Amino acid sequence: MVIQESIIMNSLLRNVGIMAHIDAGKTTTTERILFYTGVNNRIGEVDNGAATMDWMEEEKERGITITAASTTCSWKGHRINIIDTPGHIDFTIEVGRSLRVLDGAIALFSAVEGVEPQSETVWRQADRYGVPRIAFVNKMDRPGANLSNCVKMIRDMLKANPLELHIPIFINVDFVGVVDVLKSKALYFNNDRNGLEYSVGEIPEELAKEAHNARISIMESLAELDDDFMESYLEGIDIEEKEIKRVIRKGTLNGKILPVLCGSAFKNKCVQPLLDAIVDFLPSPIDVSPYKYWTEEGKESLFQGRKDEPFSGLVFKIMNDPYVGHLSYIRVYSGELKTGDIVLNCSKSKNERIGRILLLHANKREEIKRAEAGDICAIVGLKGVSTGDTLCNPDLNIAFEAIEIPSPVVSCAIAPRRKDDLKKMWLVFNKYTVEDPSLNVRLDNETGEVILSGMGELHLEIIMDRAKREHNLDMISSAPQVAYRETITKTVTSVGKYIKQSGGHGQYGHVVLRVSPVEGTEFVFENKIVGGAIPREFISSVESGIRDTMEKGVVLGYPLVNVKVELLDGSYHEVDSSEMAFKLAASMGLKDAVKKANPVILEPIMKVDISVPNESLGAVIGDVSSRRGRIADIGERNEFKSIVSYIPLEEMFGYTTHLRSATQGRGYFSMEFFHYTPVPKYIYDNLIKNREKTVTEVLYG
């Protein structure tokens, strides 16, 4: 009975995200969903800073989504958990970690622009996690809206198989509704009562043939997905709408088709059919189970996602709330979680007591006593929890797949105007790094600079704005700089020995390391000690010393990456050896090895997608070449030329202003990190020269 009840409840749950390019209408669509499901009694607009989901002051001021916001609503007996994700590439971690725990997604496209650069980025992220999707082509009310063109771009650029369920209806040039191809009816929307009600009528005569052909096309596509459906279709049996939806759902869940709807969220048109599609076509937790995890011994196993299984969940987001404190967002994968339960943080090997459990509605909360398999909720007060940590029943010790954290690519030096605020500044920014793992703050021991690193100029700017607004921190900062990396190009063996005798108890640590380049991972450590040359209790200290040194760098103070370190040999002293001695010996050994291993400095190369009018193509291509860029592809994006290129980040600062000037304000671009590659010699020499600058020169001129 418990199992059956759990299955029923899970089947009525939808965990979905809304993903799109910036300014495609994600938040506007979410606001309408909240209004039509009765969560809000009014519609909040992005443009006037009243959107429920854009609750941060920075979001209200800029009119963009910065942090993924979660909310809950109900529609036709189903509970829908929605996460509204950012569209700007600087906040891509918010999209990635949301998709990691969601069961389905709404891919939103502008009917005017179609598939834009960030649309492709979030699509690939959804592909990585195997998230089923439906598409909503928004802004059909805008001049230049073209559903057919957008669908073609989805097919050609995203390699999807779109299934058009709507045909737009226009009276003169006004978008008034859609033909529901499955129902063979016309849906008309007006702005009376903000679109709460709409009328159903017959298909306009001029669209009857198109609707008929569209339905045939849908039926033929579905026949390829299901043998029983094909048999009925070929025999000419009148197939019920329920059966048609069943096969659409089947094709959506296995990624064979992409249901496409259209509308205008801003004009309150076709949001209710979108809600129907979420319920009809996107998966419940039961549909995407079982869930893979790994045991303490490294064995792979599965949870079915039932309430009667032991509790397990994944922390996918951390927030510091000024009213309730530390909030840990969690997706529950199995069992149930109740107030007062003891759970194990497997990633930290630490037990935690569950205090308050909250359902989230943007920045508002509703306290609940328990959460069950499939739920998304927040827990108050967990200590030392990080993004990607696995929580489970204390009798288990398991791990779910980790959340991929992108490496920062832009840095700047920061300092408080009041020296007394230095400690406060350090604590504030370290708190932000817990919330946002793509942010990094560190102290450069050589120059005394506090270095803030993130995903882009906007990312750093917003974080510093938050520090000023939330903590009254007045700061100065250097211009953004590239976050370089260090690595090595050959294998060497080195010795690290730390001996200190100053009367009384001494220090002794001795290690022999083999250091070599490695691809595909930032760091590998292998203990190859045999015969007890170094006692087991000191091995972790050796690894810790190596990790600390890698983080601080050796050549120019940039993090050291793509390195494999093997601990081959060493020695110890029965009295003088200590954890600190071996930590220092390992650090000395690694530094010596790097200097002998032909170190190089790596710079981030960005994938830059530039859209320009035809007449500007030649000038922009020439400019890309002058920036050490490489053209990968030139294609069409609506009436613009699309240039896909790979350009060093160093060359991209200030590019927005330059591109606008070169294209009379019509050109635009997006960029995302691609890979690291060694810098040319002249840049290496410049980095050496600039390294000699002091923090005073950097920050104060």
Side-chain angles (χ1 to χ4, degrees), residues 118-234:
Q118 186 64 2
S119 308
E120 296 180 73
T121 301
V122 297
W123 192 268
R124 288 197 301 274
Q125 288 177 295
D127 281 344
R128 181 182 185 281
Y129 293 116
V131 179
R133 282 144 274 181
I134 60 175
F136 183 67
V137 179
N138 193 27
K139 302 188 177 184
M140 289 299 303
D141 60 298
R142 293 261 305 274
N146 190 324
L147 176 62
S148 298
N149 185 54
C150 186
V151 169
K152 183 178 183 300
M153 293 175 76
I154 290 171
R155 183 180 291 109
D156 295 345
M157 299 174 69
L158 304 180
K159 310 304 178 188
N161 183 19
L163 196 72
E164 296 180 66
L165 304 182
H166 285 173
I167 298 171
I169 302 174
F170 293 92
I171 295 180
N172 297 321
V173 294
D174 294 329
F175 173 67
V176 296
V178 296
V179 173
D180 186 324
V181 178
L182 296 187
K183 295 181 182 296
S184 295
K185 293 290 184 180
L187 311 180
Y188 293 98
F189 296 80
N190 57 57
N191 277 325
D192 293 344
R193 300 182 65 207
N194 291 319
L196 272 170
E197 298 173 354
Y198 60 92
S199 59
V200 180
E202 298 303 313
I203 299 173
E205 186 177 342
E206 65 272 18
L207 295 176
K209 185 177 180 181
E210 184 181 349
H212 176 73
N213 292 337
R215 186 176 174 86
I216 291 174
S217 177
I218 289 173
M219 301 299 278
E220 289 176 348
S221 296
L222 298 181
E224 296 177 4
L225 301 176
D226 190 274
D227 291 341
D228 292 339
F229 189 95
M230 178 181 285
E231 186 176 337
S232 299
Y233 180 66
L234 293 177

Side-chain angles (χ1 to χ4, degrees), residues 289-294 299-305 309 400:
S289 66
Y291 306 105
K292 188 186 298 182
Y293 68 89
W294 285 263
K299 294 180 179 178
E300 193 175 296
S301 192
L302 299 169
F303 279 128
Q304 299 302 317
E309 293 178 308
F400 288 112

Side-chain angles (χ1 to χ4, degrees), residues 569-603:
D569 201 0
S571 63
Y572 74 103
H573 190 280
E574 290 187 357
V575 177
D576 292 345
S577 287
S578 66
E579 292 181 356
M580 182 56 67
F582 274 100
K583 187 174 181 178
L584 292 170
S587 176
M588 294 165 65
L590 180 61
K591 288 177 179 178
D592 179 64
V594 170
K595 291 172 182 176
K596 297 188 295 187
N598 292 347
V600 295
I601 302 298
L602 304 174
E603 64 176 341

Side-chain angles (χ1 to χ4, degrees), residues 206-491:
E206 65 272 18
L207 295 176
K209 185 177 180 181
E210 184 181 349
H212 176 73
N213 292 337
R215 186 176 174 86
I216 291 174
S217 177
I218 289 173
M219 301 299 278
E220 289 176 348
S221 296
L222 298 181
E224 296 177 4
L225 301 176
D226 190 274
D227 291 341
D228 292 339
F229 189 95
M230 178 181 285
E231 186 176 337
S232 299
Y233 180 66
L234 293 177
E235 291 177 1
I237 297 173
D238 188 20
I239 303 174
E240 294 182 355
E241 184 184 334
K242 183 179 178 182
E243 175 65 5
I244 297 173
K245 287 183 176 180
R246 180 190 70 81
V247 182
I248 294 176
R249 180 180 181 83
K250 176 183 176 181
T252 303
L253 298 193
N254 62 26
K256 296 291 180 62
I257 57 172
L258 175 73
V260 179
L261 298 87
C262 69
S264 170
F266 183 65
K267 294 297 179 92
N268 309 315
K269 293 180 171 78
C270 296
V271 177
Q272 294 97 325
L274 175 61
L275 280 162
D276 289 340
I278 293 171
V279 167
D280 291 338
F281 306 136
L282 288 180
S284 71
I286 292 295
D287 295 317
V288 295
S289 66
Y291 306 105
K292 188 186 298 182
Y293 68 89
W294 285 263
T295 65
E296 191 176 7
E297 295 77 27
K299 294 180 179 178
E300 193 175 296
S301 192
L302 299 169
F303 279 128
Q304 299 302 317
R306 298 197 310 261
K307 180 181 172 181
D308 65 322
E309 293 178 308
F311 162 73
S312 70
L314 183 73
V315 178
F316 67 95
K317 182 179 171 76
I318 304 293
M319 278 195 65
N320 283 291
D321 186 279
Y323 301 105
V324 299
H326 205 67
L327 278 177
S328 303
Y329 288 57
I330 181 173
R331 163 68 191 264
V332 182
Y333 282 107
S334 64
E336 63 176 353
L337 184 67
K338 300 189 297 293
T339 300
D341 282 354
I342 302 295
V343 300
L344 172 65
N345 181 344
C346 307
S347 309
K348 304 290 193 302
S349 300
K350 180 184 176 185
N351 283 340
E352 298 265 13
R353 181 178 292 277
I354 302 300
R356 297 167 63 195
I357 305 173
L358 305 176
L359 277 183
L360 299 168
H361 178 50
N363 65 329
K364 298 182 176 68
R365 302 94 173 83
E366 174 191 347
E367 189 163 349
I368 56 177
K369 296 300 180 184
R370 67 179 185 177
E372 299 177 357
D375 284 339
I376 292 174
C377 59
I379 303 170
V380 179
L382 296 182
K383 308 291 185 185
V385 174
S386 306
T387 297
D389 284 357
T390 297
L391 305 181
C392 69
N393 186 296
D395 295 334
L396 301 174
N397 193 351
I398 64 170
F400 288 112
E401 180 187 0
I403 295 173
E404 187 176 310
I405 307 296
S407 298
V409 294
V410 175
S411 300
C412 68
I414 55 174
R417 290 191 183 275
R418 300 183 296 271
K419 290 185 179 180
D420 292 346
D421 282 347
L422 180 61
K423 183 178 179 181
K424 178 182 176 182
M425 185 188 79
W426 179 256
L427 292 172
V428 166
F429 281 103
N430 271 283
K431 185 177 73 172
Y432 288 151
T433 64
V434 175
E435 293 183 15
D436 182 356
S438 67
L439 188 72
N440 181 266
V441 63
R442 64 182 177 87
L443 180 66
D444 190 312
N445 291 323
E446 292 188 19
T447 65
E449 299 172 359
V450 175
I451 306 296
L452 184 67
S453 305
M455 300 305 299
E457 295 177 75
L458 180 63
H459 189 196
L460 298 184
E461 182 185 327
I462 285 173
I463 287 294
M464 286 188 282
D465 278 354
R466 284 187 62 188
K468 184 176 181 179
R469 188 189 305 271
E470 296 170 7
H471 300 279
N472 197 31
L473 271 173
D474 192 8
M475 295 166 296
I476 49 177
S477 62
S478 68
Q481 305 290 325
V482 175
Y484 294 99
R485 298 285 188 270
E486 300 176 5
T487 193
I488 57 175
T489 55
K490 73 174 187 179
T491 300

